Amino acid sequence: MTRRCKRTATAAVIAAVLLLTAVCGMTAWHTVQKALYPLKETALVERYAQEYDVPSYLIYAVINTESGFDPNAVSDLGALGIMQMTPDTFDWLQTKTGDDLPEDALFDKEISIRYGTLFLSMLLEEFGDEDTAVAAYHAGRGRVNEWLENPDYAPDGKTLTNIPTKDTAHYVYKVSRAVEKYQELYDL
């Protein structure tokens, strides 16, 4: 083999190794991303997404952000279950459904996903903007309605462009990031 052929063969081997490394790296990265943004409880999410006309990617993103899919999650503020709903919000929503369930029913995945999705549906209808609805899911409808009255937070009075509390702003960012990942990874 000539010296030139050896260099060409070596270059080809190096190129193949680099290509294989890149492909394996992309596959590993994709696997890691799917582990961080899993599709769990798909039957329940899809059922209530369809029933309440809420994008499934938004439900997955809220669940992932709220509890990491832990049905036994309890927040420092007393929110319960996989979708981290407060007992007060749960009680209020039950006045809309006619149910009379105890607050510990929120630890049941189906109840939590059903009521969390119902609440998201109501917020999307009320506010008409995904980020504003997500802010209301976190901070409450009353607080978001107050913010919408302030032109520093919502110049058009309908869409929050500046969220005045750091916790809610960070929450909306995290859910938005999760929404992007769910759409990218699963084409939702």
Side-chain angles (χ1 to χ4, degrees):
M1 183 179 272
T2 67
R3 199 172 164 155
R4 185 174 181 172
C5 287
K6 284 182 183 177
R7 274 189 267 159
T8 304
T10 302
V13 168
I14 290 171
V17 168
L18 288 174
L19 180 61
L20 182 60
T21 302
V23 169
C24 289
M26 288 175 23
T27 302
W29 178 247
H30 194 73
T31 301
V32 167
Q33 291 294 297
K34 283 192 169 190
L36 293 172
Y37 299 94
L39 288 182
K40 294 183 177 180
E41 309 305 336
T42 55
L44 294 172
V45 169
E46 297 303 325
R47 173 182 175 188
Y48 291 111
Q50 184 173 4
E51 184 171 330
Y52 294 118
D53 195 27
V54 174
S56 60
Y57 63 77
L58 181 59
I59 301 166
Y60 288 120
V62 168
I63 292 171
N64 192 329
T65 303
E66 287 285 358
S67 70
F69 292 89
D70 178 3
N72 299 312
V74 178
S75 78
D76 294 339
L77 299 176
L80 308 173
I82 198 167
M83 287 195 76
Q84 290 291 278
M85 183 172 291
T86 64
D88 287 343
T89 300
F90 183 50
D91 288 343
W92 176 75
L93 288 169
Q94 287 186 83
T95 67
K96 311 293 182 202
T97 64
D99 291 334
D100 185 23
L101 301 167
E103 72 181 47
D104 67 349
L106 286 169
F107 292 114
D108 179 280
K109 291 181 272 190
E110 181 166 7
I111 298 295
S112 187
I113 292 170
R114 175 183 171 210
Y115 277 89
T117 305
L118 169 61
F119 192 39
L120 282 171
S121 173
M122 294 169 75
L123 295 172
L124 288 166
E125 185 175 325
E126 179 176 356
F127 296 109
D129 173 72
E130 215 167 84
D131 286 345
T132 304
V134 168
Y137 192 92
H138 183 263
R141 292 172 53 248
R143 184 180 268 176
V144 168
N145 277 309
E146 288 174 14
W147 295 341
L148 289 172
E149 293 174 7
N150 186 330
D152 292 336
Y153 307 139
D156 66 359
K158 297 177 183 178
T159 305
L160 288 175
T161 57
N162 181 23
I163 299 172
T165 64
K166 186 177 178 179
D167 286 349
T168 300
H170 185 65
Y171 177 80
V172 171
Y173 169 79
K174 285 172 54 176
V175 171
S176 295
R177 181 76 174 129
V179 160
E180 290 173 10
K181 287 295 184 181
Y182 278 103
Q183 289 176 320
E184 172 189 317
L185 293 168
Y186 302 104
D187 197 31
L188 298 176

